[in-house]
Amino acid sequence: MPSGSNVQRRLTRIHLDEADNPHLQKFACSPSSNVANSILSITLLSGSDLSAMDDNGLSDPYVKFRMGTEKRKSRVITKTLNPEWKEKFEMRMMDGQGDTSLSVSVFDRDYASKDDFMGSVEVDLAELEHDRTHTIDRPLQDGDGRILFLLTITGMKDDVDGAEEGDPLLLHRSSVKDSYSLKNTLTRMDDIGILMVKVVRA
């Protein structure tokens, strides 16, 4: 493991290279590209009349949500064609995110081979009014049955853009962007820590 002095020299080198590196310049000038400006809240309720994928005439369904680089996965409900998940998830919507679609895919967990695809739904989030809960009840494409879930978008960028000078939300975002920008890399050493992740099964 590199010593503290070695880490500091490497980070200092980043600052020295910044003036000559257009990629670093772009990153330093655009801290908002990594800031979430809204939250998508998902309440996965249930599925109905899904396809039977197993020999027993049932399935072990679970759901995957994907929006840009954000991904979430539900628990598996075993031996049913009418699962009730009743799970909640949150996904971050980032500044400058081009793709505003939410992909919802249903799979059958197969412990002996690859999981089976059971159908999917695409939701264009740009069509949803924010600060309001929307009930999504749609048939699965390329599969049988339906899926039911709720979507709520909060904290939209328009709310921040419309804030007056001195607004606490605007000041908070500005403070966070400045604190963790590239130019302040060595000024927040107390925020550095270790994250250990153990993957049990993927």
Side-chain angles (χ1 to χ4, degrees):
M1 179 178 293
S3 65
S5 60
N6 288 337
V7 172
Q8 184 169 353
R9 283 198 296 271
R10 291 180 185 178
L11 293 175
T12 303
R13 180 61 184 171
I14 291 177
H15 288 284
L16 295 176
D17 291 343
E18 180 180 334
D20 300 322
N21 192 321
H23 298 290
L24 288 177
Q25 289 176 355
K26 180 179 180 181
F27 179 82
C29 295
S30 305
S32 61
S33 60
N34 290 326
V35 176
N37 57 35
S38 56
I39 298 294
L40 174 65
S41 299
I42 306 169
T43 302
L44 175 61
L45 296 175
S46 62
S48 59
D49 301 321
L50 302 182
S51 300
M53 309 300 292
D54 298 334
D55 294 338
N56 59 6
L58 300 172
S59 295
D60 304 313
Y62 67 93
V63 179
K64 289 183 177 180
F65 296 93
R66 179 174 57 82
M67 179 187 64
T69 59
E70 292 277 310
K71 298 178 181 179
R72 301 290 185 272
K73 185 169 70 172
S74 77
R75 60 193 174 95
V76 177
I77 306 296
T78 60
K79 300 179 181 180
T80 182
L81 303 181
N82 300 284
E84 293 187 2
W85 289 283
K86 297 180 180 179
E87 290 186 76
K88 292 185 177 181
F89 310 91
E90 286 190 348
M91 305 179 81
R92 299 170 298 169
M93 301 179 68
M94 313 300 288
D95 279 327
Q97 179 174 316
D99 186 6
T100 60
S101 64
L102 174 69
S103 174
V104 185
S105 302
V106 183
F107 291 86
D108 169 60
R109 171 58 58 87
D110 196 330
Y111 298 95
S113 60
K114 184 178 179 180
D115 293 351
D116 299 314
F117 175 73
M118 300 178 67
S120 65
V121 168
E122 293 284 336
V123 179
D124 186 355
L125 300 176
E127 298 179 352
L128 302 183
E129 180 182 350
H130 65 274
D131 294 322
R132 175 185 173 186
T133 299
H134 302 266
T135 301
I136 311 297
D137 182 3
R138 295 188 183 179
L140 293 174
Q141 300 175 1
D142 301 318
D144 297 327
R146 306 180 67 88
I147 186 169
L148 175 63
F149 54 96
L150 308 177
L151 297 179
T152 306
I153 302 175
T154 56
M156 294 297 290
K157 186 174 186 294
D158 291 342
D159 297 335
V160 177
D161 288 345
E164 297 181 357
E165 185 176 355
D167 184 276
L169 177 59
L170 192 60
L171 292 174
H172 174 69
R173 286 195 64 194
S174 177
S175 175
V176 171
K177 290 179 184 180
D178 184 68
S179 297
Y180 294 100
S181 62
L182 189 59
K183 67 179 180 180
N184 291 323
T185 300
L186 297 178
T187 63
R188 300 296 295 266
M189 301 302 289
D190 290 341
D191 290 348
I192 296 177
I194 299 175
L195 173 65
M196 300 183 66
V197 179
K198 180 179 181 180
V199 179
V200 178
R201 178 168 183 167

